[in-house]
Amino acid sequence: MTENTQQQTAPTTELPTQYTPAEVEGPLYERWVERGYFTADATSDKPPYTIVIPPPNVTGALHLGHAFQVTLMDALTRRKRMQGFETLWLPGMDHAGIATQNKVEQQLADEGKSRHDLGREAFVERVWQWKDEYGGRILGQLRRLGAGLDWSRERFTMDEGLSKAVQKIFKDLYEDGLIYRAERIINWCPRCLTAISDIEVEYQEDAGELVSIRYGEGEDSLVVATTRAETMLGDTAVAVHPEDERYKHLVGKQIKLPLTDRTIPVVADEHVDPEFGTGAVKVTPAHDPNDFEIGRRHDLPSLTVMDEHGVITVHGPFLGLDRFEARSAIVGALKEQGRIVAEKRPYMHSVGHCSRCKTTVEPRLSMQWWVKVGPLAQAAGDAVRDGSVDIHPKELSKRYFDWVDNMHDWCISRQLWWGHRIPIWYGPNGEVVCVGPDDEIPAGEGWTQDPDVLDTWFSSGLWPFSTLGWPEKTPDLAKFYSTDVLLTGHDIIFFWVARMMMFGLYSMDGQVPFKTVALTGLVRDEFGKKMSKSNPNAVDPITWMDAYGSDAVRFTLAKGATPGADVPIGEDWVQASRNFANKIWNATRFAMMNGATIEGPLPDASELSATDRWILSRLNETVAQVDAYYDDFQFAKLSESLYHFAWDEVFAWYVELSKTTFFAGGEGAKVSGRVLGEVLDVMLRLLHPIVPFVTDTLWTTLTGGESLVVAEWPKASGFRDEAAEKEIELVQRVVTEVRRFRKEQGLQDAQKVPARLDLSGTALAPHEAAIRQILRLQPEGEAFEATASLPVAGCTVSLDLSGTIDVAAERKRLAKDLAAAEKEKAQAEAKLGNEAFLAKAPDNVVDKIKGRLAKADEDIARIQTQLEKLPQA
């Protein structure tokens, strides 16, 4: 009773006895691609639905985080395609400036060379060669996962079209005064020799040292504390809070800077926390972002005391020392002068490291290119506030606003050779020219291009529209922009999401780049610990796909996907999902062998049994549930709903309840076969976006249809039969209760037991044959003796256990278990009644004993019930 108008022909292929993912998945995926199922048509009259994939790094390999997000995006696009949308899921890769350059530089190092030996042009050519030979293996792994991407539209952030887009927006921003060049503090990697963005800095607790140093002499002295003693060579002031009475007499005075021949002023600044440490802080404007701002407010000079390698550049005994060598040397020299007031070692504090090479990052004053983010960030915030963009789950909107409402200007230049080179040219007489994609490069002697390249996030920030052909007015751009959903991890909401919002609104006349931002959590191991390459808990998803199939990995990931929440995953769970795929296969095969079919119209409800009407009612409820969960990005709930419906309701109940009908044959079997075919047809459609391989194989065999990829998504008709649902619930209660009793008595599942079912006058009467079939209950017979009776669901099930169990032995065993449980209860009660024990015992010990008492009470009640149900010896 679902709306299912697509026509199919009769099945033409038989299913193998076992499902072997390795034999099915690869060839089936290539068939989907060859038939053009994933290729979007910009000229179509269908409504568009667009997702652009967060572009993986060209250096990357598939990890569980990728597999997780790709599975969810694939599920969204597969469903929309089935719903009749012109669906575009656009693939591509990011050139990953630092990561890729490091890869090639390592190759050169193995050859005993550096990039400088090659020169810039030859080095960039070498990187392109590396990209062509080794880059992009992750795209092949996405195919292995089953990602329904439109490979005809694959893009790369440094291809010709996207490079043109980068030049275009740079020039637009430059001419609007939103890009400028200035000397500011940036994150500097002394190993990669470039500025890096905040997202490329990883913070970790390091064991350093905190030293307290006395500046000045006598009453005109004060103490500052620092973890970076080497930077004191660049101090140009000491700052205190304006209201700090301890230092008011020093504000405006000059004090001697130790180890140098300089004096520096004491300045009053509200940034200083008088309650922290001594309430006085050293100010090094060239080597600390907060100090830089203090320096600007007080017009202090900025003295750079380290070069780009982290080597001390000032004159004196420390010249030429590495920053960490200089730290020890400077502390030693201060000790000799009696200037060290206190030392704390080790001192655990958060230190930034380059995410690529793990080198400690150095804040450094540097001339860089910047984006003035103020008006861009305002627009990005307003788009969420006014509802143009929906952040899901909504509680993460606050984190987004905290970022965009307080965003600092963005450093976009990188001192690399691989990337989009900044399109600024300098003339021999101080001229500065910004060159757009259609502009001529300045001719003549003395013109040079800026050596820096752009931050990778600059080009990936254009991804939702540059990939569709912008700045050209292409059919793709007209059809598929704005995109519908951006599905990405909550960890990059501040970086990639915000940049796409700013650039999309700026370049596309106020059109948002996406209508919904669906934020996911991070994948963790089964104990909730973060997975990383350096930990033994890291898992290669390809290994799991090899062992259990891609569907199993996908279903496990989707089943853990609650919006915004982290996702634990373990191999046992993937095995369970493999078992689910096998169950779908085996049960569908069994159903088809026993008459399940989609041939002919579905009989009217009046012609159906209560069991048939029940499963169709549950089917429609499941369709409605799944649709609601998809619209709310509740992948975990929709996966659980489908799992419960398929395994529990269809296979464990409907198939079992219908076996007597099938075995009896006749018209009833034909009707139930058609109902079962309908249920399987719809169920496989619903499961397909999450587990595409096994479902497509089964569905095409069942229906003779072309492929589930292009099949119609089921629609709930609204058919519900509450009376049938209540009737089958009674059957389930009877079966469940008798099964429990059989298990308690130690009976094997296949063991047959004589039984009398008193069902007359109840809704259970038509189901007697099915109940007997499921429970292995034989007819009474002339010698029947009711040794146990179970009142349940308004009826009575009487069993003759005289020939099935040794009653005396069973009573003896239960009596022994009862005695043990009563002893456990007595011991627990004794301890809990001992006030002296309770006064000394920790809370967790007391709680544990209370738990033992509760468990003993449960065991006693259970065993007594079993004894009462046993026949008399």
Side-chain angles (χ1 to χ4, degrees):
M1 301 289 169
T2 56
E3 294 184 20
N4 181 5
T5 59
Q6 182 160 320
Q7 296 296 313
Q8 292 98 22
T9 59
T12 57
T13 308
E14 290 188 359
L15 291 168
T17 55
Q18 288 185 321
Y19 177 56
T20 309
E23 295 177 4
V24 171
E25 292 176 349
L28 181 55
Y29 184 84
E30 293 308 316
R31 189 154 64 248
W32 291 336
V33 173
E34 289 166 6
R35 291 178 177 177
Y37 292 158
F38 306 137
T39 304
D41 181 2
T43 67
S44 167
D45 293 332
K46 296 179 182 178
Y49 183 83
T50 315
I51 291 182
V52 290
I53 195 171
N57 286 355
V58 68
T59 60
L62 187 71
H63 57 65
L64 277 174
H66 288 132
F68 171 55
Q69 292 182 357
V70 167
T71 294
L72 304 188
M73 284 184 278
D74 195 37
L76 290 174
T77 52
R78 283 179 182 270
R79 172 176 175 255
K80 285 295 182 180
R81 189 179 292 110
M82 294 173 74
Q83 286 181 318
F85 286 78
E86 193 60 46
T87 303
L88 171 60
W89 186 22
L90 195 147
M93 293 182 296
D94 193 291
H95 64 279
I98 294 177
T100 309
Q101 179 157 320
N102 280 351
K103 286 276 188 184
V104 178
E105 286 198 84
Q106 184 57 56
Q107 274 191 344
L108 291 174
D110 293 342
E111 300 169 11
K113 300 177 184 177
S114 75
R115 59 176 162 137
H116 301 284
D117 293 325
L118 270 66
R120 182 167 193 149
E121 187 176 338
F123 176 77
V124 170
E125 179 59 31
R126 177 74 176 258
V127 180
W128 277 108
Q129 291 172 4
W130 181 93
K131 183 259 181 187
D132 292 339
E133 186 172 354
Y134 300 105
R137 65 173 171 147
I138 190 172
L139 297 182
Q141 294 170 330
L142 295 182
R143 299 169 82 98
R144 174 73 187 280
L145 189 63
L149 290 151
D150 184 348
W151 297 107
S152 70
R153 286 176 166 85
E154 181 186 332
R155 303 305 301 268
F156 179 54
T157 49
M158 281 185 64
D159 67 28
E160 183 178 354
L162 270 64
S163 296
K164 183 177 182 180
V166 167
Q167 286 184 285
K168 166 68 173 167
I169 195 170
F170 187 99
K171 184 171 183 179
D172 289 348
L173 291 165
Y174 180 80
E175 291 182 344
D176 284 346
L178 295 175
I179 281 183
Y180 64 94
R181 192 171 185 237
E183 199 173 38
R184 300 277 179 82
I185 292 284
I186 44 84
N187 302 307
W188 182 264
C189 176
R191 154 63 182 78
C192 298
L193 298 179
T194 181
I196 59 176
S197 65
D198 292 339
I199 198 172
E200 293 164 323
V201 179
E202 293 179 348
Y203 288 90
Q204 65 184 49
E205 290 292 310
D206 283 1
E209 61 179 344
L210 180 69
V211 294
S212 298
I213 310 168
R214 182 174 299 281
Y215 284 24
E217 306 294 342
E219 293 185 358
D220 290 346
S221 69
L222 37 65
V223 174
V224 301
T226 181
T227 58
R228 301 167 66 217
E230 68 279 7
T231 64
M232 69 165 291
L233 301 175
D235 286 359
T236 56
V238 173
V240 298
H241 193 274
E243 304 302 322
D244 195 332
E245 294 293 336
R246 294 172 294 177
Y247 303 119
K248 277 194 173 182
H249 70 288
L250 288 176
V251 174
K253 288 188 176 181
Q254 296 280 327
I255 60 172
K256 182 75 165 44
L257 178 64
L259 305 183
T260 73
D261 56 3
R262 293 191 292 116
T263 60
I264 56 177
V266 177
V267 299
D269 195 281
E270 291 187 353
H271 169 76
V272 179
D273 179 3
E275 302 298 323
F276 183 78
T278 64
V281 297
K282 59 191 286 299
V283 181
T284 320
H287 294 278
D288 183 275
N290 294 321
D291 293 2
F292 177 77
E293 296 301 326
I294 294 175
R296 283 172 47 148
R297 288 193 288 273
H298 297 277
D299 198 25
L300 300 173
S302 295
L303 302 181
T304 300
V305 298
M306 274 180 270
D307 66 12
E308 65 269 23
H309 297 280
V311 172
I312 301 298
T313 58
V314 294
H315 296 292
F318 313 111
L319 178 66
L321 293 181
D322 172 80
R323 53 186 168 154
F324 301 118
E325 296 172 335
R327 182 177 298 172
S328 298
I330 286 170
V331 170
L334 289 168
K335 283 182 180 177
E336 290 181 5
Q337 293 187 4
R339 296 263 174 198
I340 299 296
V341 176
E343 290 182 88
K344 186 174 182 180
R345 188 186 295 113
Y347 177 71
M348 302 304 296
H349 62 131
S350 182
V351 178
H353 296 260
C354 175
S355 63
R356 302 300 177 189
C357 67
K358 311 309 176 186
T359 301
T360 300
V361 168
E362 191 68 40
R364 185 168 187 262
L365 186 64
S366 180
M367 183 67 75
Q368 301 284 347
W369 286 94
W370 304 81
V371 172
K372 186 185 293 183
V373 300
L376 302 173
Q378 176 70 44
D382 290 346
V384 176
R385 289 188 177 93
D386 67 20
S388 299
V389 176
D390 176 42
I391 291 181
H392 190 90
K394 289 193 179 298
E395 55 264 28
L396 291 181
S397 297
K398 183 180 182 300
R399 295 177 62 186
Y400 176 78
F401 291 133
D402 287 345
W403 177 255
V404 298
D405 293 347
N406 301 284
M407 194 182 297
H408 300 295
D409 284 1
W410 170 21
C411 176
I412 56 172
S413 46
R414 299 289 179 267
Q415 289 65 56
L416 304 172
W417 287 356
W418 171 247
H420 294 102
R421 195 160 173 182
I422 289 176
I424 292 288
W425 289 75
Y426 304 106
N429 300 310
E431 302 95 334
V432 178
V433 175
C434 182
V435 177
D438 300 319
D439 297 337
E440 293 288 335
I441 294 174
E445 191 175 342
W447 284 90
T448 58
Q449 187 176 2
D450 193 295
D452 290 350
V453 300
L454 287 163
D455 178 10
T456 297
W457 294 100
F458 191 93
S459 53
S460 61
L462 314 181
W463 192 250
F465 52 97
S466 64
T467 52
L468 298 174
W470 186 88
E472 304 300 327
K473 294 181 178 180
T474 64
D476 276 3
L477 195 63
K479 177 76 174 178
F480 297 112
Y481 189 89
S482 300
T483 69
D484 289 88
V485 176
L486 173 73
L487 190 143
T488 190
H490 63 63
D491 54 327
I492 59 173
I493 186 174
F494 312 127
F495 307 102
W496 191 46
V497 176
R499 281 150 174 69
M500 287 189 289
M501 286 283 281
M502 292 191 301
F503 283 169
L505 290 164
Y506 173 79
S507 295
M508 298 299 296
D509 298 322
Q511 280 186 279
V512 295
F514 24 74
K515 303 177 185 74
T516 300
V517 179
L519 296 169
T520 70
L522 307 178
V523 177
R524 297 181 178 274
D525 70 13
E526 58 194 303
F527 305 107
K529 294 181 180 179
K530 183 179 179 181
M531 288 189 179
S532 70
K533 294 177 183 177
S534 58
N535 290 339
N537 65 353
V539 174
D540 181 353
I542 299 295
T543 302
W544 280 353
M545 284 189 265
D546 287 342
Y548 309 111
S550 297
D551 282 335
V553 174
R554 290 170 62 111
F555 192 74
T556 306
L557 291 166
K559 205 174 180 186
T562 298
D566 288 348
V567 183
I569 185 172
E571 188 167 5
D572 289 349
W573 305 344
V574 184
Q575 290 176 351
S577 295
R578 183 270 315 275
N579 295 343
F580 179 51
N582 287 343
K583 182 69 172 181
I584 297 170
W585 181 273
N586 294 332
T588 302
R589 183 174 179 274
F590 170 84
M592 292 175 63
M593 291 171 61
N594 286 274
T597 179
I598 52 88
E599 291 187 61
L602 191 65
D604 187 76
S606 61
E607 302 175 43
L608 303 177
S609 68
T611 306
D612 292 335
R613 285 182 278 114
W614 164 74
I615 196 61
L616 290 173
S617 183
R618 297 301 310 135
L619 176 65
N620 274 282
E621 173 65 13
T622 302
V623 172
Q625 269 188 351
V626 168
D627 275 333
Y629 289 145
Y630 261 116
D631 292 341
D632 199 35
F633 303 99
Q634 296 282 359
F635 294 96
K637 289 182 178 179
L638 74 88
S639 299
E640 191 64 40
S641 177
L642 287 168
Y643 179 91
H644 170 69
F645 177 73
W647 193 300
D648 297 338
E649 296 186 313
V650 178
F651 302 141
W653 284 109
Y654 180 73
V655 170
E656 291 300 316
L657 288 170
S658 300
K659 279 183 178 178
T660 53
T661 303
F662 286 127
F663 295 161
E667 192 60 31
K670 290 181 181 179
V671 170
S672 292
R674 180 64 187 88
V675 170
L676 181 52
E678 180 77 7
V679 171
L680 292 174
D681 177 14
V682 175
M683 183 193 76
L684 292 170
R685 292 170 193 259
L686 293 175
L687 281 165
H688 176 72
I690 304 293
V691 284
F693 293 106
V694 67
T695 53
D696 196 49
T697 306
L698 290 171
W699 184 85
T700 53
T701 305
L702 171 70
T703 68
E706 182 183 347
S707 173
L708 268 177
V709 181
V710 291
E712 187 174 316
W713 182 256
K715 298 175 184 176
S717 66
F719 171 77
R720 292 298 300 277
D721 191 325
E722 293 185 7
E725 291 195 31
K726 289 179 180 178
E727 186 171 320
I728 300 304
E729 282 175 13
L730 293 177
V731 175
Q732 291 171 330
R733 284 173 57 191
V734 170
V735 170
T736 301
E737 184 62 28
V738 176
R739 274 179 172 165
R740 183 184 297 116
F741 178 75
R742 287 178 58 114
K743 185 175 182 180
E744 288 172 352
Q745 304 310 313
L747 297 176
Q748 298 298 316
D749 290 342
Q751 192 169 351
K752 294 180 179 180
V753 178
R756 175 188 299 142
L757 275 62
D758 183 11
L759 308 178
S760 59
T762 73
L764 293 165
H767 304 282
E768 180 171 352
I771 292 172
R772 286 185 177 276
Q773 168 74 25
I774 294 172
L775 292 172
R776 305 292 193 272
L777 301 180
Q778 291 180 316
E780 304 170 33
E782 293 183 5
F784 179 81
E785 180 182 355
T787 58
S789 294
L790 303 176
V792 57
C795 71
T796 302
V797 177
S798 302
L799 304 173
D800 182 353
L801 304 179
S802 58
T804 58
I805 60 173
D806 184 335
V807 176
E810 185 64 13
R811 282 189 174 279
K812 185 176 180 181
R813 182 185 70 80
L814 290 172
K816 182 179 179 182
D817 291 346
L818 181 61
E822 288 173 337
K823 180 180 180 181
E824 174 74 4
K825 178 180 179 178
Q827 291 176 341
E829 285 179 334
K831 286 189 175 181
L832 293 174
N834 185 333
E835 292 185 3
F837 169 78
L838 293 176
K840 295 179 181 179
D843 289 345
N844 65 317
V845 173
V846 175
D847 289 342
K848 188 174 182 180
I849 294 171
K850 288 179 179 177
R852 285 169 50 193
L853 177 59
K855 176 67 165 54
D857 282 334
E858 290 176 6
D859 289 344
I860 291 169
R862 175 179 55 79
I863 296 167
Q864 287 175 340
T865 299
Q866 290 178 248
L867 283 167
E868 290 170 4
K869 291 179 179 179
L870 274 177
Q872 296 301 314

